[in-house]
Amino acid sequence: MPDTLAHICVNVPDAEAAVEWYTDNFAFEDALTWSWETDEGHTMNRYVADESGSMIQFREAEAQTEFPKGSGWDHIGIEVDDLDAAFERIDHHGVVMEPQYNSHSDARVAFIEDPWGYVIELLTALDA
């Protein structure tokens, strides 16, 4: 399988409202929900998917409730066949998170920065 777009993540103050707006106005379906607790509070992740499986992830964090309009960009997720090989071969300009298992998505993931400082999540699903 070639590298494919898995999802785009944006930070929002209300993930439920974001899911509702995108499912009401576009051909997206409510796809996935997961959350976790940190010292800063609760973080909720809600996803919508199109018919091809591409998703938008809406992240609502208790510690982040206000964003200047259009500034909620978080990361882009790209699915790769072999996470460790991709992590080693890509000329990344910063490691945000080393490769590791993510139990919420049953995938191995890593986060890197591109030359312009944008964060890219590399992921390999384990259920495939």
Side-chain angles (χ1 to χ4, degrees):
M1 170 181 80
D3 300 343
T4 58
L5 177 66
H7 66 272
I8 295 171
C9 177
V10 292
N11 294 309
V12 296
D14 187 339
E16 182 67 34
V19 167
E20 183 177 327
W21 191 86
Y22 276 82
T23 57
D24 286 352
N25 291 286
F26 299 101
F28 288 104
E29 297 290 328
D30 191 349
L32 177 66
T33 300
W34 59 277
S35 62
W36 73 88
E37 296 291 330
T38 67
D39 291 340
E40 290 83 35
H42 186 76
T43 299
M44 170 68 64
N45 290 279
R46 297 287 310 271
Y47 294 73
V48 295
D50 67 15
E51 65 181 29
S52 73
S54 293
M55 292 190 273
I56 302 172
Q57 174 185 359
F58 302 105
R59 177 174 292 148
E60 174 187 332
E62 206 170 320
Q64 289 181 291
T65 57
E66 294 187 28
F67 304 95
K69 194 169 189 173
S71 70
W73 159 265
D74 191 86
H75 70 270
I76 184 170
I78 299 176
E79 189 165 358
V80 296
D81 284 334
D82 182 332
L83 176 69
D84 295 306
F87 186 79
E88 292 302 319
R89 92 175 139 71
I90 294 171
D91 181 21
H92 53 77
H93 294 259
V95 175
V96 177
M97 186 181 83
E98 297 278 341
Q100 61 186 260
Y101 175 67
N102 180 314
S103 62
H104 300 291
S105 58
D106 195 27
R108 285 191 27 83
V109 302
F111 289 82
I112 61 171
E113 289 183 352
D114 71 10
W116 304 275
Y118 294 107
V119 177
I120 298 170
E121 176 186 8
L122 304 173
L123 63 128
T124 301
L126 298 178
D127 63 359

